[in-house]
Amino acid sequence: MPRRGVATRAQVSGKLSKMLFELSVSDELGRYLEQLEERSNISLEETASVREVRKQYRRRKAIPPELIEEFNIARSKSQATWAEARRTSDFALFLPHLKKMVEYARRFADYYGYEDHPYDGLLEEYEPGMTSVQLRQIIEPLRGEIVRLIRRLSDQGSRPDSSLLEGTFDIDTQRRLARRALKVIGYDFDAGSLDDVPHPFTTAIAPGDVRVTNRYVDAAFTPGLFAALHEGGHALYDQGMDEKLFHLRLARGASYGVHESQSRMIENVVGRSRPFWMFFQPILAEFFPQFTHASPDDLYRAVNVVAPSLIRVEADEVTYNLHIMLRIEIETGLIDGSITAADLPRRWNETIERYLSVVPANDAQGVLQDVHWSMGSLGYFPSYMLGNLYAAQLHAKLRDEVTDLDERIASGNLRALVDWLRENVHRYGAVYPPTELIQRITGSPLDTSHFMRYITEKYADVYRL
Amino acid sequence: MPRRGVATRAQVSGKLSKMLFELSVSDELGRYLEQLEERSNISLEETASVREVRKQYRRRKAIPPELIEEFNIARSKSQATWAEARRTSDFALFLPHLKKMVEYARRFADYYGYEDHPYDGLLEEYEPGMTSVQLRQIIEPLRGEIVRLIRRLSDQGSRPDSSLLEGTFDIDTQRRLARRALKVIGYDFDAGSLDDVPHPFTTAIAPGDVRVTNRYVDAAFTPGLFAALHEGGHALYDQGMDEKLFHLRLARGASYGVHESQSRMIENVVGRSRPFWMFFQPILAEFFPQFTHASPDDLYRAVNVVAPSLIRVEADEVTYNLHIMLRIEIETGLIDGSITAADLPRRWNETIERYLSVVPANDAQGVLQDVHWSMGSLGYFPSYMLGNLYAAQLHAKLRDEVTDLDERIASGNLRALVDWLRENVHRYGAVYPPTELIQRITGSPLDTSHFMRYITEKYADVYRL
């Protein structure tokens, strides 16, 4: 669309959002919900729909509308200031806005209500059923195990040679490669598109209309390819939902964490696996002939280098969760008041050094790197970690049930993988809450041992331990 | 958007249209109109807005809603059947649907009301103030003059050599040429886009968001270039409207005919003029180097061949109006019952032979060629003719006021042209009814002598009479 069309579209979209919001907190909807909650002869999906709409109704009505309006204005300013602060690495500039965003998050948590810790009131938005106590129980043992694994890889492992990935890569060829990769994983281009943007994301307008966006850099093909696989994983979930869920408002992920599990499954568990590269190396060579004689095994190892780094979005799958844990610790502390906003840079830098032995040269590479807090989105970060944990647990179950999964993938047949995900995860959308969904599929609640086993075995192999 | 997204979008768009329709015939709107009509202290634009909304309100409420619904269903079937009938050149297949569409149009005309002829009730939709009596007064003398001019060109003229236009033209280069041509005429790409479609059209979403679409064939660059100029003419109108008209619902053409006058002005009066080609030949040669040594004059003459043909959309500017006159005569007869639908093929073929000395080999090349009647859009065709007539009259005035217009265009300066159109036509949108607008600008009502003088002088030059 033309640049100058943005303002009118924003007006229209703002008007429609307002109408939608008003309907979503209306007394009329309240009466419908009461009537539906009294019924006993409604289907599983309808029951789930009532549960989810009721929850949204309750949470939306919990906050005074004038507070939401005030917050929206403050958030716009906060985000704009954060962008400027990150550019100039000036935490002091952002600090007053961060304080305000934390204060709003606290007030929202109070309005939403919680049993144990105010952070739980925020978590409910992103990962229903999850609590800060559970998060602590997950993080405490996991953090040490990951730190020890990283040390072991670095001390005893044979770091893969990633120099074979170097080069300059034509952007349009990368675009076509991304398209091919999406076809390989079963992304339906009749029900989905692929376009360019500065920050990749996936939007599901309806099950038959999913939009994947991606970006490419010419210095490497891997960011564009793995981002496509990541977004493709989200997109498979959105395309795989039962269409009847759409009008029940259940055509979305069971949670942000479960949605992220699907993207991480395709990007990492599948896309950075040895069987995948056995099959994908000749495809890569079709687009970039310099890889015609590359060994699939060398490529597999090259895309799995573990390198402690400062930036979350560039982190490998071993170190990634440590970046998230750092953020969860800080968020929780900000919300319960045990950490002050002003103390963030010191706290951040000390912690990341303890976890990863790296020290940010400035706050742009540290505490200012992510947009989330500037938008007041406290409580979102755990979803990233949970996505990795769910992915490993689901993958373990999947390999139990599809015993020749690796052979199939190595021969380019991803059908069984995608069918299993569709049958067990995708088609249900938000019918089951995340805890119930994981329990139903795997027979047990969230169990972090799958993730540890997965990375321990994989990286012992990659690093030839 | 992905193919499978179409159904959901149609649902959403249908729902919004229904809401909009209900608002547009609501008692609430009626009360607002009454209140506004009593006010005397409102601006010129507000008065025009009330007039236009009142008119739409009256016409929409005139038709029983169930009849509109019935018509919409019948129209879908009719259009689908017409497409099939045109493909197989089977008029009998389309006939029952055509009869129905004529019957609906007649009933609508009765509901809308008219003074003299039922066709006037339909015309009001497209060309407010125009009547079938006036159309007859325009057509009768003009038809003979055009037929005589065509005969003179063919008998005594020197037909230009268009073989220099032949070749194979890379589609993407044509796309870039179209973009350049749009820039040349002053199309604002910050407020407009250019994309590919099978049938070119222009949509104005808002004054800052105009979408031009175009198509290209590789056997010739002229259809793609002139279609771009045509749509660009529409787009300049849409981009040039005063932004405050948008919310007054006046950000649209004064009529379909006036809108068409802007596209025909840019496509033909400017785009097929000698000064334009003096300036545009080197630009064309930038994109297609085979024209580096083509003479601007040869190009000018080559794009102005007059060739009586069967198909309206391929017609040159001399024969074009005859195609329209044929359709107006038939439409008027269908509406007042003096022509029966079954008699159409015979009637069509006889008339086009009389006007243009060509005979359709089949009905696909004759009476079945246009979509309009299959959609029940009787009364639309006159706008095409009026567009040509208005364009010539406006251009005469423009040349009076900008005396060095041709020199400016020949040197690539189209600013004065576009500024004049913006100042006199574009910015007013639908503030003035078409008759009033033409009178205000040119000092006289619609006067067909401008068009006859324009084509007579131009083609005497092109054909070296």
Side-chain angles (χ1 to χ4, degrees):
Chain A
M1 74 179 300
R3 193 181 59 77
R4 281 188 47 218
V6 173
T8 309
R9 186 178 62 172
Q11 274 179 21
V12 172
S13 151
K15 179 76 187 168
L16 289 172
S17 298
K18 191 157 178 271
M19 288 168 71
L20 197 60
F21 182 83
E22 279 161 5
L23 286 171
S24 78
V25 295
S26 65
D27 294 344
E28 202 184 351
L29 180 60
R31 283 193 298 275
Y32 288 143
L33 281 169
E34 275 167 31
Q35 286 167 24
L36 287 163
E37 280 158 347
E38 277 164 23
R39 287 213 200 157
S40 54
N41 60 339
I42 64 173
S43 70
L44 173 75
E45 290 83 1
E46 286 164 341
T47 308
S49 181
V50 172
R51 178 196 76 220
E52 290 296 309
V53 175
R54 164 62 77 190
K55 182 182 145 187
Q56 193 201 50
Y57 186 71
R58 188 177 53 72
R59 288 177 71 87
R60 287 212 171 152
K61 282 185 83 82
I63 315 281
E66 58 281 7
L67 186 63
I68 295 180
E69 216 157 301
E70 195 191 306
F71 167 70
N72 285 338
I73 296 165
R75 182 176 58 179
S76 294
K77 289 184 196 157
S78 168
Q79 226 185 314
T81 311
W82 164 79
E84 174 63 12
R86 187 171 76 155
R87 205 178 58 74
T88 55
S89 195
D90 182 353
F91 180 76
L93 180 67
F94 176 50
L95 182 60
H97 296 275
L98 175 62
K99 280 182 182 164
K100 266 191 200 160
M101 288 296 113
V102 171
E103 187 51 38
Y104 280 116
R106 256 190 228 160
R107 291 175 69 185
F108 289 167
D110 285 342
Y111 279 118
Y112 292 141
Y114 54 87
E115 282 189 22
D116 184 45
H117 191 286
Y119 192 61
D120 300 352
L122 304 175
L123 265 177
E124 183 70 12
E125 189 70 27
Y126 306 102
E127 202 61 30
M130 183 55 63
T131 65
S132 52
V133 168
Q134 278 176 280
L135 281 176
R136 207 163 36 239
Q137 286 164 351
I138 291 167
I139 291 174
E140 286 305 329
L142 202 57
R143 188 173 47 204
E145 290 186 62
I146 296 173
V147 168
R148 276 189 297 278
L149 174 61
I150 295 169
R151 202 167 304 143
R152 213 174 121 228
L153 295 177
S154 132
D155 291 350
Q156 303 161 34
S158 156
R159 186 186 160 114
D161 175 13
S162 59
S163 66
L164 83 160
L165 302 178
E166 289 168 7
T168 303
F169 300 89
D170 175 63
I171 298 289
D172 196 56
T173 311
Q174 288 195 58
R175 222 173 253 131
R176 289 187 292 107
L177 176 66
R179 182 166 282 267
R180 177 67 167 276
L182 286 175
K183 280 190 184 151
V184 158
I185 62 166
Y187 180 64
D188 179 0
F189 276 95
D190 276 346
S193 59
L194 172 65
D195 291 287
D196 287 11
V197 282
H199 300 285
F201 62 89
T202 296
T203 311
I205 291 165
D209 189 356
V210 173
R211 318 275 177 104
V212 167
T213 61
N214 203 15
R215 75 182 278 260
Y216 312 91
V217 294
D218 60 11
F221 73 90
T222 43
L225 175 63
F226 287 110
L229 290 170
H230 181 95
E231 298 308 325
H234 282 304
L236 286 180
Y237 196 176
D238 293 324
Q239 287 187 335
M241 290 171 193
D242 191 330
E243 298 214 359
K244 74 167 177 283
L245 300 185
F246 184 57
H247 286 291
L248 292 169
R249 302 186 68 78
L250 295 171
R252 51 189 176 78
S255 71
Y256 284 72
V258 174
H259 223 308
E260 190 72 6
S261 78
Q262 299 307 294
S263 59
R264 300 294 274 182
M265 171 86 78
I266 300 297
E267 176 193 0
N268 288 334
V269 183
V270 175
R272 292 184 204 261
S273 73
R274 175 179 276 122
F276 182 81
W277 282 94
M278 288 174 66
F279 146 65
F280 203 71
Q281 175 267 328
I283 293 177
L284 177 66
E286 273 178 42
F287 292 85
F288 294 109
Q290 60 265 48
F291 296 108
T292 306
H293 302 294
S295 109
D297 204 60
D298 287 346
L299 285 168
Y300 158 63
R301 294 188 70 227
V303 300
N304 281 302
V305 171
V306 175
S309 71
L310 295 167
I311 308 296
R312 174 182 64 86
V313 297
E314 296 168 3
D316 58 81
E317 61 181 333
V318 177
T319 59
Y320 193 91
N321 283 341
L322 295 177
H323 288 271
I324 302 305
M325 291 171 184
L326 155 68
R327 286 157 176 80
I328 296 172
E329 289 162 26
I330 289 178
E331 282 190 340
T332 320
L334 285 171
I335 289 296
D336 67 21
S338 63
I339 298 178
T340 63
D343 198 31
L344 241 56
R346 192 187 59 79
R347 186 94 189 194
W348 180 287
N349 295 351
E350 279 178 16
T351 313
I352 195 146
E353 186 175 6
R354 201 164 65 244
Y355 292 174
L356 289 168
S357 312
V358 290
V359 185
N362 55 51
D363 289 332
Q365 292 184 7
V367 69
L368 288 173
Q369 70 183 264
D370 289 312
V371 71
H372 305 64
W373 293 337
S374 78
M375 298 169 66
S377 300
L378 287 85
Y380 187 111
F381 279 121
S383 308
Y384 292 118
M385 179 182 73
L386 293 168
N388 292 324
L389 305 180
Y390 291 145
Q393 183 165 347
L394 290 169
H395 188 247
K397 183 67 181 176
L398 161 59
R399 289 183 69 175
D400 282 350
E401 295 192 0
V402 184
T403 49
D404 60 346
L405 183 70
D406 286 355
E407 290 76 8
R408 290 193 195 213
I409 291 176
S411 66
N413 177 3
L414 275 71
R415 195 69 256 165
L417 166 84
V418 177
D419 283 351
W420 190 91
L421 293 173
R422 181 149 300 177
E423 184 61 26
N424 287 282
V425 182
H426 301 173
R427 70 190 178 100
Y428 294 110
V431 169
Y432 299 109
T435 41
E436 195 177 332
L437 182 72
I438 297 298
Q439 175 80 44
R440 273 177 56 92
I441 301 172
T442 66
S444 75
L446 173 59
D447 174 355
T448 62
S449 69
H450 297 287
F451 176 74
M452 272 321 297
R453 193 171 316 118
Y454 161 68
I455 55 167
T456 305
E457 285 175 10
K458 174 172 172 180
Y459 287 89
D461 176 40
V462 170
Y463 275 71
R464 295 181 176 155
L465 285 177
Chain B
M1 76 180 297
R3 193 181 57 77
R4 281 187 47 217
V6 172
T8 308
R9 186 178 63 173
Q11 274 179 22
V12 172
S13 150
K15 178 74 188 171
L16 288 172
S17 298
K18 193 159 177 266
M19 287 167 71
L20 197 61
F21 181 83
E22 280 162 5
L23 285 171
S24 78
V25 294
S26 65
D27 294 343
E28 200 184 349
L29 180 60
R31 283 192 300 274
Y32 288 143
L33 282 169
E34 276 167 33
Q35 287 168 23
L36 287 164
E37 279 157 349
E38 277 166 22
R39 289 216 197 153
S40 54
N41 61 339
I42 64 175
S43 70
L44 173 74
E45 290 83 2
E46 286 164 340
T47 308
S49 181
V50 172
R51 178 197 76 221
E52 290 296 309
V53 174
R54 164 62 77 191
K55 182 182 147 188
Q56 192 202 50
Y57 186 72
R58 188 177 53 72
R59 288 177 70 86
R60 287 214 172 151
K61 283 185 81 84
I63 315 283
E66 57 280 9
L67 185 64
I68 295 180
E69 213 156 306
E70 196 189 305
F71 167 71
N72 285 337
I73 295 165
R75 182 175 59 177
S76 294
K77 289 184 195 157
S78 169
Q79 224 185 316
T81 310
W82 164 79
E84 173 64 12
R86 186 171 77 154
R87 204 178 59 74
T88 55
S89 195
D90 182 354
F91 181 77
L93 179 67
F94 177 50
L95 181 57
H97 295 275
L98 175 60
K99 280 183 181 164
K100 264 191 201 164
M101 288 297 111
V102 171
E103 187 50 39
Y104 279 116
R106 256 190 227 160
R107 292 174 68 186
F108 289 167
D110 286 341
Y111 279 117
Y112 291 141
Y114 53 87
E115 281 190 24
D116 184 45
H117 192 285
Y119 192 62
D120 300 351
L122 304 176
L123 264 177
E124 183 70 11
E125 188 71 26
Y126 306 103
E127 202 61 31
M130 184 54 63
T131 66
S132 51
V133 168
Q134 279 176 278
L135 280 176
R136 206 162 38 241
Q137 287 165 350
I138 292 167
I139 291 175
E140 286 305 331
L142 202 56
R143 187 174 47 204
E145 290 187 63
I146 296 173
V147 168
R148 278 190 295 280
L149 174 61
I150 296 170
R151 203 167 301 142
R152 215 174 120 227
L153 294 178
S154 131
D155 291 351
Q156 304 160 33
S158 156
R159 185 188 161 114
D161 176 13
S162 59
S163 66
L164 82 161
L165 301 177
E166 288 167 10
T168 304
F169 300 89
D170 174 63
I171 297 288
D172 196 55
T173 310
Q174 288 195 59
R175 221 173 257 133
R176 289 186 293 109
L177 176 67
R179 180 167 283 265
R180 177 66 168 276
L182 287 175
K183 280 188 185 153
V184 158
I185 62 167
Y187 179 64
D188 179 0
F189 276 95
D190 275 346
S193 58
L194 172 64
D195 290 288
D196 289 10
V197 282
H199 301 285
F201 62 89
T202 295
T203 310
I205 291 165
D209 188 358
V210 173
R211 318 276 178 106
V212 166
T213 61
N214 203 14
R215 75 183 279 262
Y216 312 90
V217 294
D218 60 10
F221 74 89
T222 43
L225 175 63
F226 287 110
L229 290 171
H230 181 96
E231 298 308 327
H234 282 304
L236 286 181
Y237 197 175
D238 293 324
Q239 286 187 338
M241 290 170 194
D242 191 331
E243 298 215 359
K244 73 167 175 280
L245 300 183
F246 184 57
H247 286 292
L248 292 168
R249 303 186 67 79
L250 295 171
R252 52 190 175 76
S255 70
Y256 284 72
V258 175
H259 224 308
E260 190 72 6
S261 78
Q262 299 308 293
S263 58
R264 300 294 274 182
M265 172 84 79
I266 300 298
E267 175 194 0
N268 288 334
V269 184
V270 174
R272 292 185 206 262
S273 72
R274 176 180 275 122
F276 181 81
W277 282 94
M278 288 174 65
F279 147 65
F280 203 71
Q281 175 266 328
I283 292 176
L284 177 66
E286 272 177 45
F287 292 85
F288 294 110
Q290 60 264 51
F291 296 107
T292 306
H293 303 292
S295 106
D297 205 59
D298 287 347
L299 285 168
Y300 159 63
R301 294 188 71 227
V303 300
N304 281 302
V305 171
V306 175
S309 71
L310 294 167
I311 307 296
R312 172 182 66 85
V313 297
E314 296 168 4
D316 58 80
E317 62 180 333
V318 178
T319 59
Y320 194 93
N321 283 340
L322 295 177
H323 288 271
I324 303 304
M325 291 170 183
L326 156 67
R327 286 156 177 80
I328 296 172
E329 289 161 28
I330 287 178
E331 281 190 343
T332 319
L334 284 171
I335 289 297
D336 67 23
S338 63
I339 298 177
T340 63
D343 199 31
L344 240 56
R346 192 187 59 79
R347 187 94 189 195
W348 182 286
N349 295 350
E350 278 179 17
T351 313
I352 194 144
E353 186 174 6
R354 199 162 70 246
Y355 291 174
L356 289 167
S357 311
V358 290
V359 185
N362 54 52
D363 290 331
Q365 293 184 7
V367 70
L368 288 174
Q369 70 184 263
D370 288 314
V371 70
H372 306 65
W373 294 337
S374 77
M375 297 168 67
S377 301
L378 287 86
Y380 187 113
F381 280 121
S383 309
Y384 292 118
M385 180 181 74
L386 293 168
N388 293 325
L389 305 180
Y390 290 145
Q393 183 164 346
L394 290 170
H395 189 246
K397 183 68 181 173
L398 162 60
R399 288 184 69 176
D400 282 351
E401 295 192 0
V402 184
T403 48
D404 59 347
L405 184 69
D406 286 356
E407 290 76 9
R408 290 190 194 217
I409 292 176
S411 65
N413 177 2
L414 276 71
R415 195 70 255 167
L417 166 84
V418 176
D419 283 351
W420 190 92
L421 292 173
R422 181 150 298 177
E423 185 60 27
N424 288 281
V425 183
H426 300 172
R427 69 190 179 100
Y428 294 110
V431 170
Y432 299 109
T435 42
E436 196 177 332
L437 182 73
I438 297 298
Q439 176 79 45
R440 272 177 58 91
I441 301 172
T442 67
S444 75
L446 175 59
D447 174 355
T448 63
S449 70
H450 298 286
F451 176 75
M452 272 320 297
R453 193 171 318 116
Y454 161 67
I455 56 169
T456 305
E457 287 176 7
K458 173 172 173 179
Y459 287 90
D461 176 40
V462 171
Y463 275 73
R464 296 178 175 157
L465 284 177

